[in-house]
Amino acid sequence: MTQFTLIANPTFSVTATIPRAGAEDGKLSLTFKHKTLDELRAMDETLQKSADVKKSAVEPQADYLMGIVTGWALPDEFNRENVVVLLQNYPRAFDSIGLTYTKELMAIREKN
């Protein structure tokens, strides 16, 4: 029997698929922080407000990802500066990472 607890694990790892122009999609393994629904709602509201105020969409997106990601399987250090570089070079990265996070957090499994 699988053990179940009321408090979820603080982190979990999942691989996100990042679309790349002129190449096959890249695979990026990420370690995410577990967030409650209330925490996610607050983060989403902050993202919306920041996106309305800032000229660059990348800055609020980087802040959001720094709130949910704790590390990645890249040789480059996981820090805000490198997250910004990722978002600037791969415009669909934010959507892909966010969707991967949400699907795993909500346990939405896709069958092959």
Side-chain angles (χ1 to χ4, degrees):
M1 181 174 182
T2 303
Q3 264 192 327
F4 182 83
T5 62
L6 290 179
I7 306 300
N9 290 333
T11 61
F12 56 92
S13 296
V14 184
T15 300
T17 301
I18 310 295
R20 300 183 298 170
E24 288 189 31
D25 293 348
K27 303 288 184 193
L28 177 57
S29 294
L30 300 149
T31 301
F32 290 107
K33 300 174 191 173
H34 182 275
K35 296 286 184 183
T36 65
L37 289 177
D38 288 340
E39 290 171 324
L40 282 177
R41 184 174 295 119
M43 288 180 67
D44 287 342
E45 289 173 6
T46 300
L47 177 65
Q48 281 294 352
K49 288 175 186 174
S50 296
D52 293 340
V53 174
K54 294 184 180 181
K55 292 181 181 179
S56 169
V58 172
E59 295 299 324
Q61 290 176 349
D63 292 339
Y64 189 91
L65 291 181
M66 292 303 295
I68 64 169
V69 179
T70 64
W72 59 21
L74 286 176
D76 305 286
E77 181 182 350
F78 175 76
N79 58 36
R80 190 177 189 290
E81 181 181 326
N82 285 336
V83 169
V84 168
V85 171
L86 173 74
L87 295 172
Q88 288 176 336
N89 287 308
Y90 300 99
R92 296 274 316 279
F94 179 76
D95 296 333
S96 296
I97 294 168
L99 185 58
T100 298
Y101 177 75
T102 302
K103 282 182 175 181
E104 187 64 22
L105 188 65
M106 303 298 176
I108 300 170
R109 305 286 195 265
E110 295 178 7
K111 294 183 179 183
N112 291 336

